[in-house]
Amino acid sequence: GKESGRATKQVFEQHFELRGAVRRDAVIIGSNGQAITAVAQDERAIAYVSYADAYQAMNNGEALRVPRLEGVKPGLESAREGRYPLRRRLNLVYLPKSESLVSQVVAALKDDRMKAIMEGHFVLPFPEH
C-alpha cells in the first residue's frame, strides 16, 4: 500500500472502492520508485504506480507488467480516448500575480514539440480545452 496523501493511493482506492480496505500487514511504501523496487525484488509483490513510472521502469529493463482493466490494454491511446478506466488529471495552480507566466507555460505545453516530449515520458499532453 501507499502512504496516506499519495495521489496514486487515492485514485486506486476510489476506482476499486477499497478505501480503508488495505490489510494491516501490508507493506507501506512512499514513492512510485520505492513501489517499483519492491515489486522487482519480490515475485509475489504487486503495487500501484503511475503509468509514466511503470513504463519508464519497463523501458529500463524491469520485468513489470501493467494489467488490462475492464478488458482494456493500458497505453497512451486508450488513456487519450478515455477507454482505460484508471487515470487522473493533473492541475496547474498559481497565484493571480503569476497569470502572465502561466499563459506562457500553457502556450509551451500546447506546443507540438512539448507534446512529443511529454508523450516520450508517457504523459498525455495538455488538453486542448
Side-chain angles (χ1 to χ4, degrees):
K2 291 280 185 113
E3 63 188 2
S4 294
R6 294 283 179 168
T8 49
K9 176 184 174 119
Q10 293 168 348
V11 170
F12 184 83
E13 287 182 350
Q14 181 179 8
H15 179 80
F16 291 104
E17 299 176 359
L18 295 174
R19 187 166 177 88
V22 175
R23 292 174 45 151
R24 292 193 190 278
D25 62 343
V27 174
I28 304 300
I29 53 174
S31 70
N32 287 339
Q34 287 176 330
I36 289 167
T37 299
V39 169
Q41 293 175 352
D42 183 347
E43 66 184 26
R44 298 172 301 143
I46 60 172
Y48 44 91
V49 300
S50 73
Y51 174 86
D53 285 335
Y55 276 86
Q56 188 66 44
M58 288 187 291
N59 281 344
N60 290 335
E62 292 291 351
L64 303 176
R65 292 190 179 167
V66 179
R68 291 177 180 259
L69 289 178
E70 299 174 19
V72 179
K73 182 179 177 183
L76 286 174
E77 289 305 314
S78 60
R80 181 182 292 110
E81 295 166 0
R83 293 183 295 113
Y84 196 73
L86 189 59
R87 61 188 177 278
R88 69 179 168 117
R89 292 181 182 257
L90 298 177
N91 297 299
L92 182 61
V93 296
Y94 60 94
L95 295 172
K97 66 182 180 181
S98 302
E99 196 158 347
S100 65
L101 178 60
V102 170
S103 297
Q104 293 173 36
V105 170
V106 169
L109 290 172
K110 290 183 174 185
D111 180 80
D112 287 340
R113 289 176 296 157
M114 180 58 76
K115 289 179 182 181
I117 290 169
M118 288 189 296
E119 287 192 8
H121 291 280
F122 308 102
V123 175
L124 287 173
F126 192 77
E128 294 299 324
H129 52 281

